[in-house]
Structure formats: C-alpha cells, structure tokens
Amino acid sequence: MNEMTTGAMDIASMSVAVALVIIGLVAWFFVNRASVKANQQIQLLEALLDEQKRQNIMLRRLTDAVAGKEQAAKASDESEDKDFTRLIPER
C-alpha cells in the first residue's frame, strides 16, 4: 500500500511541474507578444516624428517665402499714395 501512495505522489508532482511549465510558457508568450507590439509602436512613433520634423521644415520655408513676399508688397504699397479708402473694410 505504501508503494501505491509513492507512485501517486510522483504522478501528482510531475503533473504539477508540467502545469507550471505550461503556465510559464503561456505567460512568456503574452509578455513576448506585448514586447513586440511595443517595439512596433515605438518604430511607428519615431517614423511619425521624422515626418513631422520634415513637415515643420517645409512649413517654415513656406512661411518665410510668404513673409518675404508680404514685406516686398508693403514696401511697394508705402511708396504709393496713401489714401483712406484702404482703411474702410468691404462688406
């Protein structure tokens, strides 16, 4: 009878070890999956940041060009006769 309880204990301890290994593998799978998704999101955010930097540079160039044209237009307007009709907004 003592031999039967020893065999049952071996099977129980082995099943507990197998269950722990399976639980560990499942936990590792989800942690690894989350890590991969986080890395992908970081790469996408870095690409978005680079794109925004390029857009900011293009916007600065555009606003500098428009500001230069406005300054040239102001200089030409100042040379013309000043009248009060420009102060009245159109409806």
Coordinates of all heavy atoms in Angstrom, one line a residue:
M1 N 0.8 -1.2 0.0 CA 0.0 0.0 0.0 C 0.9 1.3 0.0 O 0.5 2.2 -0.6 CB -0.9 0.0 1.2 CG -1.8 1.2 1.3 SD -3.3 0.7 2.0 CE -4.0 2.2 2.2
N2 N 2.0 1.1 0.7 CA 2.9 2.3 0.7 C 3.4 2.6 -0.7 O 3.7 3.7 -1.0 CB 4.0 1.9 1.7 CG 4.7 3.2 2.2 OD1 4.2 4.3 1.9 ND2 5.8 3.0 2.9
E3 N 3.6 1.5 -1.5 CA 4.1 1.7 -2.9 C 3.1 2.5 -3.7 O 3.5 3.3 -4.6 CB 4.4 0.4 -3.5 CG 5.6 -0.3 -2.8 CD 5.7 -1.7 -3.4 OE1 5.0 -2.1 -4.3 OE2 6.6 -2.4 -2.9
M4 N 1.8 2.3 -3.5 CA 0.8 3.0 -4.3 C 0.8 4.5 -4.0 O 0.6 5.3 -4.9 CB -0.6 2.4 -4.1 CG -0.7 1.0 -4.6 SD -2.3 0.2 -4.3 CE -3.4 1.3 -5.0
T5 N 1.0 4.9 -2.8 CA 0.9 6.3 -2.4 C 2.2 7.0 -3.0 O 2.1 8.1 -3.4 CB 0.9 6.5 -0.9 OG1 1.9 5.8 -0.3 CG2 -0.5 6.0 -0.4
T6 N 3.3 6.3 -3.0 CA 4.5 6.9 -3.6 C 4.4 7.1 -5.1 O 4.8 8.2 -5.6 CB 5.7 5.9 -3.3 OG1 5.8 5.6 -1.9 CG2 7.0 6.6 -3.7
G7 N 3.8 6.2 -5.8 CA 3.6 6.3 -7.2 C 2.6 7.5 -7.5 O 2.8 8.2 -8.4
A8 N 1.6 7.6 -6.7 CA 0.6 8.6 -6.9 C 1.2 10.0 -6.6 O 0.9 11.0 -7.3 CB -0.6 8.4 -5.9
M9 N 2.1 10.1 -5.6 CA 2.8 11.3 -5.3 C 3.7 11.7 -6.4 O 3.8 12.9 -6.7 CB 3.6 11.2 -4.0 CG 2.7 11.1 -2.8 SD 1.7 12.6 -2.6 CE 2.2 13.0 -0.9
D10 N 4.4 10.7 -7.0 CA 5.3 11.1 -8.2 C 4.5 11.6 -9.3 O 4.9 12.6 -10.0 CB 6.0 9.8 -8.6 CG 7.1 9.4 -7.6 OD1 7.5 10.3 -6.8 OD2 7.5 8.2 -7.6
I11 N 3.3 11.0 -9.6 CA 2.5 11.4 -10.7 C 1.9 12.8 -10.4 O 1.9 13.7 -11.3 CB 1.4 10.4 -11.0 CG1 1.9 9.1 -11.5 CG2 0.3 11.0 -12.0 CD1 0.9 8.0 -11.7
A12 N 1.5 13.1 -9.2 CA 1.0 14.4 -8.8 C 2.1 15.5 -8.9 O 1.8 16.6 -9.4 CB 0.4 14.3 -7.4
S13 N 3.3 15.2 -8.4 CA 4.3 16.2 -8.5 C 4.7 16.4 -10.0 O 5.1 17.5 -10.3 CB 5.5 15.7 -7.7 OG 6.1 14.6 -8.2
M14 N 4.7 15.4 -10.8 CA 5.1 15.5 -12.2 C 4.0 16.4 -12.9 O 4.3 17.2 -13.7 CB 5.2 14.2 -12.9 CG 5.7 14.3 -14.3 SD 5.8 12.7 -15.1 CE 7.3 12.1 -14.3
S15 N 2.7 16.1 -12.6 CA 1.6 16.9 -13.2 C 1.7 18.4 -12.8 O 1.4 19.3 -13.6 CB 0.3 16.3 -12.9 OG 0.0 16.3 -11.5
V16 N 2.1 18.6 -11.5 CA 2.2 20.0 -11.1 C 3.4 20.7 -11.8 O 3.2 21.8 -12.2 CB 2.4 20.1 -9.5 CG1 2.9 21.4 -9.1 CG2 1.2 19.6 -8.8
A17 N 4.5 20.0 -12.0 CA 5.6 20.6 -12.7 C 5.2 20.8 -14.2 O 5.6 21.9 -14.7 CB 6.8 19.6 -12.7
V18 N 4.5 19.9 -14.8 CA 4.1 20.1 -16.2 C 3.1 21.3 -16.3 O 3.2 22.2 -17.2 CB 3.4 18.8 -16.8 CG1 2.8 19.1 -18.1 CG2 4.5 17.8 -16.9
A19 N 2.2 21.4 -15.3 CA 1.3 22.6 -15.3 C 2.0 23.9 -15.2 O 1.7 24.9 -15.8 CB 0.2 22.4 -14.2
L20 N 3.0 23.9 -14.3 CA 3.8 25.1 -14.1 C 4.6 25.5 -15.4 O 4.7 26.7 -15.7 CB 4.7 25.0 -12.9 CG 4.1 25.0 -11.5 CD1 5.1 24.7 -10.4 CD2 3.4 26.3 -11.3
V21 N 5.1 24.5 -16.0 CA 5.8 24.8 -17.3 C 4.9 25.3 -18.3 O 5.2 26.3 -19.0 CB 6.5 23.5 -17.8 CG1 7.0 23.7 -19.2 CG2 7.7 23.1 -16.9
I22 N 3.7 24.8 -18.5 CA 2.7 25.3 -19.4 C 2.3 26.7 -19.1 O 2.2 27.6 -20.0 CB 1.5 24.3 -19.5 CG1 1.9 23.0 -20.1 CG2 0.3 25.0 -20.3 CD1 0.9 21.9 -20.1
I23 N 2.0 27.0 -17.8 CA 1.6 28.3 -17.4 C 2.8 29.3 -17.7 O 2.6 30.4 -18.1 CB 1.3 28.3 -15.9 CG1 -0.1 27.6 -15.7 CG2 1.1 29.7 -15.3 CD1 -0.4 27.3 -14.2
G24 N 4.0 28.9 -17.4 CA 5.2 29.7 -17.7 C 5.3 30.0 -19.2 O 5.6 31.2 -19.6
L25 N 5.1 29.0 -20.0 CA 5.1 29.2 -21.5 C 4.0 30.2 -22.0 O 4.3 31.0 -22.8 CB 5.1 27.9 -22.2 CG 6.3 27.0 -22.1 CD1 6.1 25.7 -22.8 CD2 7.5 27.7 -22.8
V26 N 2.8 30.0 -21.4 CA 1.7 30.9 -21.8 C 2.1 32.4 -21.4 O 1.9 33.3 -22.1 CB 0.4 30.4 -21.2 CG1 -0.7 31.5 -21.4 CG2 0.0 29.1 -21.9
A27 N 2.6 32.5 -20.2 CA 2.9 33.8 -19.7 C 4.0 34.4 -20.5 O 4.0 35.6 -20.9 CB 3.4 33.8 -18.2
W28 N 5.0 33.6 -20.9 CA 6.1 34.1 -21.7 C 5.6 34.5 -23.1 O 6.1 35.6 -23.7 CB 7.2 33.0 -21.9 CG 8.2 33.4 -22.9 CD1 9.3 34.2 -22.7 CD2 8.3 33.0 -24.3 NE1 10.0 34.3 -23.8 CE2 9.4 33.6 -24.8 CE3 7.5 32.2 -25.1 CZ2 9.8 33.4 -26.2 CZ3 7.8 32.1 -26.4 CH2 9.0 32.7 -26.9
F29 N 4.6 33.8 -23.7 CA 4.1 34.1 -25.0 C 3.4 35.5 -24.9 O 3.7 36.3 -25.8 CB 3.0 33.1 -25.4 CG 2.2 33.5 -26.6 CD1 2.8 33.4 -27.8 CD2 0.9 33.9 -26.5 CE1 2.1 33.7 -29.0 CE2 0.2 34.3 -27.6 CZ 0.8 34.2 -28.8
F30 N 2.6 35.8 -23.9 CA 1.9 37.1 -23.8 C 2.9 38.2 -23.6 O 2.7 39.3 -24.1 CB 0.8 37.0 -22.8 CG -0.4 36.3 -23.3 CD1 -0.7 35.0 -22.8 CD2 -1.2 36.8 -24.3 CE1 -1.8 34.3 -23.2 CE2 -2.3 36.1 -24.8 CZ -2.6 34.8 -24.3
V31 N 3.9 38.0 -22.7 CA 4.9 39.0 -22.4 C 5.7 39.3 -23.7 O 5.9 40.5 -24.1 CB 5.8 38.6 -21.3 CG1 7.0 39.6 -21.2 CG2 5.0 38.6 -20.0
N32 N 6.1 38.3 -24.4 CA 6.8 38.5 -25.6 C 6.0 39.2 -26.7 O 6.5 40.1 -27.4 CB 7.3 37.1 -26.2 CG 8.3 37.3 -27.3 OD1 9.0 38.3 -27.4 ND2 8.4 36.2 -28.1
R33 N 4.7 38.8 -26.8 CA 3.8 39.5 -27.8 C 3.6 40.9 -27.5 O 3.7 41.8 -28.3 CB 2.5 38.7 -27.7 CG 1.5 39.2 -28.7 CD 0.3 38.4 -28.6 NE -0.8 38.9 -29.4 CZ -2.1 38.6 -29.4 NH1 -2.4 37.7 -28.5 NH2 -2.9 39.2 -30.1
A34 N 3.5 41.3 -26.2 CA 3.3 42.7 -25.8 C 4.6 43.5 -26.1 O 4.6 44.6 -26.5 CB 3.0 42.8 -24.3
S35 N 5.8 42.8 -25.9 CA 7.0 43.5 -26.2 C 7.2 43.8 -27.6 O 7.6 44.9 -28.0 CB 8.2 42.6 -25.7 OG 9.4 43.2 -26.1
V36 N 6.8 42.9 -28.5 CA 6.9 43.1 -29.9 C 6.0 44.2 -30.4 O 6.3 45.1 -31.2 CB 6.6 41.8 -30.7 CG1 6.4 42.0 -32.2 CG2 7.7 40.7 -30.5
K37 N 4.8 44.2 -29.8 CA 3.8 45.3 -30.2 C 4.3 46.6 -29.7 O 4.2 47.6 -30.4 CB 2.4 45.0 -29.6 CG 1.7 44.0 -30.3 CD 0.3 43.9 -29.8 CE -0.6 42.9 -30.5 NZ -1.9 42.8 -30.1
A38 N 4.9 46.7 -28.5 CA 5.5 47.9 -28.0 C 6.6 48.4 -28.9 O 6.7 49.6 -29.2 CB 6.0 47.8 -26.6
N39 N 7.5 47.5 -29.4 CA 8.6 47.9 -30.3 C 8.0 48.4 -31.6 O 8.6 49.4 -32.2 CB 9.5 46.7 -30.5 CG 10.3 46.4 -29.3 OD1 10.6 47.2 -28.4 ND2 10.8 45.1 -29.2
Q40 N 7.0 47.8 -32.1 CA 6.4 48.3 -33.4 C 5.8 49.6 -33.2 O 5.9 50.5 -34.1 CB 5.3 47.3 -33.8 CG 5.8 46.0 -34.4 CD 4.7 45.0 -34.7 OE1 3.6 45.2 -34.3 NE2 5.1 43.9 -35.3
Q41 N 5.2 49.9 -32.1 CA 4.6 51.2 -31.8 C 5.7 52.3 -31.7 O 5.5 53.4 -32.2 CB 3.7 51.2 -30.6 CG 2.4 50.4 -30.8 CD 1.6 50.4 -29.5 OE1 2.1 50.6 -28.4 NE2 0.3 49.9 -29.6
I42 N 6.8 51.9 -31.1 CA 7.9 52.8 -30.9 C 8.4 53.2 -32.3 O 8.7 54.3 -32.6 CB 9.0 52.3 -30.0 CG1 8.5 52.2 -28.6 CG2 10.3 53.0 -30.2 CD1 9.4 51.5 -27.6
Q43 N 8.6 52.2 -33.2 CA 9.1 52.4 -34.5 C 8.1 53.3 -35.3 O 8.5 54.3 -36.0 CB 9.3 51.1 -35.3 CG 10.4 50.3 -34.8 CD 10.5 49.0 -35.5 OE1 9.6 48.5 -36.2 NE2 11.7 48.3 -35.3
L44 N 6.8 53.1 -35.2 CA 5.8 53.9 -35.9 C 5.9 55.4 -35.3 O 5.8 56.3 -36.1 CB 4.4 53.4 -35.7 CG 4.2 52.1 -36.5 CD1 2.8 51.5 -36.1 CD2 4.2 52.3 -38.0
L45 N 6.0 55.5 -34.0 CA 6.1 56.9 -33.4 C 7.3 57.6 -33.9 O 7.3 58.8 -34.1 CB 6.0 56.8 -31.9 CG 4.7 56.4 -31.3 CD1 4.8 56.2 -29.8 CD2 3.6 57.5 -31.6
E46 N 8.5 56.9 -34.0 CA 9.7 57.5 -34.5 C 9.5 58.0 -35.9 O 10.0 59.0 -36.3 CB 10.9 56.6 -34.3 CG 11.3 56.4 -32.9 CD 12.4 55.4 -32.7 OE1 12.7 54.6 -33.7 OE2 13.0 55.3 -31.6
A47 N 8.9 57.1 -36.8 CA 8.6 57.5 -38.2 C 7.7 58.7 -38.2 O 7.9 59.6 -39.1 CB 8.0 56.3 -38.9
L48 N 6.7 58.8 -37.4 CA 5.8 59.9 -37.3 C 6.5 61.2 -36.9 O 6.3 62.2 -37.5 CB 4.7 59.6 -36.4 CG 3.6 60.7 -36.2 CD1 2.9 60.9 -37.6 CD2 2.6 60.3 -35.2
L49 N 7.4 61.1 -36.0 CA 8.2 62.2 -35.5 C 9.1 62.7 -36.7 O 9.2 64.0 -36.9 CB 9.1 61.8 -34.3 CG 10.0 62.9 -33.8 CD1 9.1 64.0 -33.2 CD2 10.9 62.3 -32.7
D50 N 9.7 61.8 -37.4 CA 10.6 62.3 -38.5 C 9.7 63.0 -39.6 O 10.1 64.0 -40.1 CB 11.3 61.0 -39.1 CG 12.3 60.5 -38.2 OD1 12.8 61.2 -37.3 OD2 12.7 59.3 -38.4
E51 N 8.5 62.4 -39.8 CA 7.7 63.1 -40.8 C 7.2 64.4 -40.4 O 7.2 65.4 -41.2 CB 6.4 62.2 -41.1 CG 5.5 62.7 -42.1 CD 6.1 62.7 -43.5 OE1 7.0 61.9 -43.8 OE2 5.6 63.5 -44.3
Q52 N 6.9 64.6 -39.1 CA 6.5 65.9 -38.6 C 7.7 66.9 -38.6 O 7.4 68.1 -38.9 CB 6.0 65.8 -37.1 CG 4.7 65.1 -37.0 CD 4.2 65.0 -35.6 OE1 5.0 65.0 -34.7 NE2 2.9 64.7 -35.4
K53 N 8.9 66.4 -38.4 CA 10.0 67.3 -38.5 C 10.2 67.8 -39.9 O 10.4 69.0 -40.2 CB 11.3 66.6 -38.0 CG 11.4 66.5 -36.6 CD 12.7 65.8 -36.2 CE 12.8 65.6 -34.7 NZ 14.0 64.9 -34.3
R54 N 10.0 66.9 -40.9 CA 10.1 67.3 -42.3 C 9.0 68.3 -42.7 O 9.2 69.3 -43.4 CB 10.1 66.1 -43.2 CG 11.4 65.4 -43.3 CD 11.4 64.3 -44.2 NE 10.9 63.1 -43.4 CZ 10.4 62.0 -43.9 NH1 10.4 61.8 -45.1 NH2 10.0 61.1 -43.0
Q55 N 7.8 68.1 -42.2 CA 6.7 69.0 -42.4 C 6.9 70.3 -41.8 O 6.6 71.4 -42.4 CB 5.4 68.4 -41.9 CG 4.9 67.2 -42.8 CD 3.6 66.6 -42.2 OE1 3.2 66.9 -41.1 NE2 3.0 65.7 -43.0
N56 N 7.5 70.4 -40.6 CA 7.8 71.6 -40.0 C 8.8 72.4 -40.8 O 8.7 73.7 -40.9 CB 8.3 71.4 -38.5 CG 7.2 71.1 -37.6 OD1 6.0 71.3 -37.9 ND2 7.5 70.5 -36.5
I57 N 9.8 71.8 -41.3 CA 10.8 72.4 -42.1 C 10.2 73.0 -43.4 O 10.4 74.2 -43.7 CB 12.0 71.5 -42.5 CG1 12.8 71.1 -41.2 CG2 12.9 72.0 -43.5 CD1 13.8 70.0 -41.4
M58 N 9.3 72.2 -44.0 CA 8.7 72.7 -45.2 C 7.7 73.9 -44.9 O 7.7 74.9 -45.6 CB 7.9 71.6 -45.9 CG 8.7 70.5 -46.5 SD 7.8 69.1 -47.1 CE 6.6 69.8 -48.1
L59 N 7.0 73.8 -43.8 CA 6.2 74.9 -43.4 C 6.9 76.2 -43.1 O 6.5 77.3 -43.4 CB 5.3 74.5 -42.1 CG 4.3 75.5 -41.6 CD1 3.2 75.7 -42.7 CD2 3.6 74.9 -40.4
R60 N 8.1 76.1 -42.4 CA 8.9 77.2 -42.2 C 9.4 77.9 -43.4 O 9.4 79.1 -43.6 CB 10.1 76.8 -41.3 CG 9.7 76.7 -39.8 CD 11.0 76.5 -39.0 NE 10.5 76.2 -37.6 CZ 11.1 75.2 -36.9 NH1 12.1 74.5 -37.4 NH2 10.6 75.0 -35.7
R61 N 9.8 77.0 -44.4 CA 10.2 77.6 -45.7 C 9.1 78.3 -46.4 O 9.3 79.4 -47.0 CB 10.7 76.4 -46.6 CG 12.1 75.9 -46.2 CD 12.5 74.8 -47.1 NE 13.7 74.1 -46.6 CZ 14.1 72.9 -47.1 NH1 13.4 72.3 -48.0 NH2 15.2 72.4 -46.6
L62 N 7.9 77.7 -46.3 CA 6.8 78.3 -47.0 C 6.4 79.7 -46.3 O 6.2 80.7 -47.0 CB 5.6 77.4 -46.9 CG 4.3 77.9 -47.6 CD1 4.5 78.1 -49.0 CD2 3.2 76.9 -47.3
T63 N 6.4 79.7 -45.0 CA 6.0 80.9 -44.3 C 7.1 82.0 -44.5 O 6.8 83.2 -44.6 CB 5.8 80.7 -42.8 OG1 7.0 80.0 -42.2 CG2 4.6 79.8 -42.5
D64 N 8.3 81.6 -44.5 CA 9.4 82.6 -44.8 C 9.2 83.2 -46.2 O 9.4 84.4 -46.4 CB 10.8 81.9 -44.7 CG 11.1 81.6 -43.2 OD1 10.5 82.2 -42.3 OD2 12.1 80.8 -43.0
A65 N 8.9 82.3 -47.2 CA 8.7 82.8 -48.5 C 7.5 83.8 -48.6 O 7.5 84.8 -49.2 CB 8.5 81.7 -49.5
V66 N 6.4 83.4 -47.9 CA 5.2 84.3 -47.9 C 5.5 85.6 -47.2 O 5.1 86.7 -47.6 CB 4.0 83.5 -47.3 CG1 2.9 84.5 -47.0 CG2 3.6 82.4 -48.1
A67 N 6.2 85.5 -46.1 CA 6.6 86.7 -45.3 C 7.5 87.6 -46.2 O 7.3 88.9 -46.1 CB 7.3 86.3 -44.0
G68 N 8.4 87.1 -46.9 CA 9.2 87.9 -47.8 C 8.4 88.6 -48.9 O 8.6 89.7 -49.2
K69 N 7.4 87.9 -49.4 CA 6.5 88.5 -50.5 C 5.7 89.6 -49.8 O 5.5 90.7 -50.5 CB 5.6 87.4 -51.1 CG 6.4 86.5 -52.0 CD 5.4 85.5 -52.6 CE 6.1 84.5 -53.5 NZ 5.2 83.5 -54.1
E70 N 5.2 89.4 -48.6 CA 4.4 90.4 -48.0 C 5.3 91.7 -47.7 O 4.8 92.8 -47.8 CB 3.8 89.9 -46.7 CG 2.7 88.9 -46.9 CD 2.1 88.3 -45.6 OE1 2.7 88.7 -44.5 OE2 1.2 87.6 -45.7
Q71 N 6.5 91.5 -47.3 CA 7.4 92.6 -47.0 C 7.6 93.4 -48.3 O 7.7 94.6 -48.3 CB 8.7 92.2 -46.3 CG 8.5 91.7 -44.9 CD 9.8 91.2 -44.3 OE1 10.8 91.0 -45.0 NE2 9.7 90.9 -43.0
A72 N 7.8 92.7 -49.4 CA 8.0 93.3 -50.7 C 6.8 94.1 -51.1 O 6.8 95.2 -51.6 CB 8.4 92.3 -51.7
A73 N 5.6 93.5 -50.8 CA 4.3 94.2 -51.1 C 4.1 95.4 -50.3 O 3.7 96.5 -50.8 CB 3.2 93.2 -51.0
K74 N 4.5 95.4 -49.0 CA 4.4 96.5 -48.1 C 5.3 97.6 -48.6 O 4.9 98.8 -48.5 CB 4.7 96.1 -46.7 CG 3.6 95.5 -45.9 CD 4.0 95.3 -44.5 CE 2.9 94.6 -43.7 NZ 3.3 94.4 -42.3
A75 N 6.5 97.3 -49.0 CA 7.4 98.3 -49.5 C 6.9 99.0 -50.7 O 7.0 100.2 -50.8 CB 8.8 97.7 -49.7
S76 N 6.2 98.3 -51.6 CA 5.7 98.9 -52.8 C 4.4 99.7 -52.5 O 4.2 100.7 -53.1 CB 5.4 97.8 -53.9 OG 4.3 97.0 -53.4
D77 N 3.6 99.2 -51.5 CA 2.4 100.0 -51.1 C 2.8 101.3 -50.4 O 2.1 102.3 -50.6 CB 1.6 99.2 -50.1 CG 0.8 98.1 -50.8 OD1 0.8 98.1 -52.1 OD2 0.3 97.1 -50.2
E78 N 3.8 101.3 -49.6 CA 4.3 102.5 -48.9 C 4.8 103.6 -49.9 O 4.7 104.8 -49.7 CB 5.3 102.2 -47.9 CG 4.8 101.4 -46.7 CD 5.9 101.0 -45.7 OE1 7.1 101.4 -46.0 OE2 5.6 100.4 -44.7
S79 N 5.3 103.1 -51.0 CA 5.8 104.1 -52.0 C 4.6 104.7 -52.7 O 4.7 105.9 -53.3 CB 6.7 103.4 -53.0 OG 6.0 102.4 -53.7
E80 N 3.4 104.1 -52.8 CA 2.3 104.7 -53.5 C 1.6 105.7 -52.6 O 1.9 105.8 -51.4 CB 1.3 103.6 -53.8 CG 1.8 102.5 -54.8 CD 0.7 101.4 -55.0 OE1 -0.3 101.5 -54.4 OE2 1.0 100.6 -55.8
D81 N 0.7 106.5 -53.2 CA 0.0 107.5 -52.4 C -0.9 106.8 -51.3 O -1.6 105.8 -51.6 CB -0.9 108.3 -53.3 CG -0.1 109.2 -54.2 OD1 1.0 109.5 -53.9 OD2 -0.6 109.5 -55.3
K82 N -0.9 107.3 -50.1 CA -1.7 106.7 -49.1 C -3.1 107.4 -49.1 O -3.2 108.6 -49.2 CB -1.1 107.0 -47.7 CG 0.2 106.2 -47.6 CD 0.8 106.4 -46.2 CE 2.1 105.6 -46.1 NZ 2.7 105.8 -44.8
D83 N -4.1 106.6 -49.1 CA -5.5 107.2 -49.1 C -6.3 106.5 -48.0 O -5.9 105.4 -47.5 CB -6.2 107.1 -50.4 CG -6.2 105.7 -51.0 OD1 -5.6 104.8 -50.3 OD2 -6.7 105.5 -52.0
F84 N -7.4 107.0 -47.6 CA -8.2 106.5 -46.5 C -9.2 105.4 -47.0 O -9.8 104.8 -46.2 CB -9.0 107.6 -45.9 CG -8.1 108.6 -45.2 CD1 -7.9 109.8 -45.7 CD2 -7.5 108.2 -44.0 CE1 -7.0 110.7 -45.0 CE2 -6.7 109.1 -43.3 CZ -6.4 110.3 -43.8
T85 N -9.3 105.1 -48.3 CA -10.2 104.1 -48.7 C -9.7 102.7 -48.3 O -10.5 101.8 -48.2 CB -10.4 104.1 -50.3 OG1 -9.1 104.0 -50.9 CG2 -11.0 105.4 -50.7
R86 N -8.5 102.6 -48.1 CA -7.9 101.3 -47.7 C -8.3 100.9 -46.2 O -8.2 99.8 -45.8 CB -6.4 101.2 -47.9 CG -6.0 101.4 -49.3 CD -4.6 101.2 -49.4 NE -4.4 100.4 -50.6 CZ -3.4 99.6 -50.9 NH1 -2.5 99.4 -50.0 NH2 -3.4 98.9 -52.0
L87 N -8.6 101.9 -45.5 CA -9.0 101.7 -44.1 C -10.4 101.2 -43.9 O -10.7 100.7 -42.8 CB -8.7 103.0 -43.2 CG -7.3 103.5 -43.2 CD1 -7.3 104.8 -42.4 CD2 -6.4 102.5 -42.5
I88 N -11.3 101.4 -44.8 CA -12.7 101.0 -44.7 C -12.8 99.6 -45.3 O -12.5 99.3 -46.4 CB -13.6 102.0 -45.6 CG1 -13.4 103.4 -45.0 CG2 -15.0 101.5 -45.5 CD1 -14.0 104.5 -45.9
P89 N -13.3 98.7 -44.4 CA -13.4 97.3 -44.9 C -14.6 97.1 -45.8 O -15.6 97.8 -45.7 CB -13.6 96.5 -43.6 CG -14.1 97.5 -42.6 CD -13.6 98.8 -43.0
E90 N -14.5 96.2 -46.7 CA -15.6 95.9 -47.6 C -16.6 95.1 -46.9 O -16.3 94.3 -46.0 CB -15.1 95.2 -48.9 CG -14.2 96.1 -49.7 CD -13.8 95.4 -51.0 OE1 -14.6 94.4 -51.4 OE2 -12.8 95.8 -51.6
R91 N -17.9 95.2 -47.3 CA -18.9 94.4 -46.7 C -19.2 93.2 -47.5 O -19.2 93.1 -48.6 CB -20.2 95.2 -46.5 CG -19.9 96.2 -45.4 CD -21.2 97.0 -45.1 NE -20.9 98.0 -44.2 CZ -21.8 98.7 -43.6 NH1 -23.1 98.5 -43.9 NH2 -21.5 99.6 -42.7

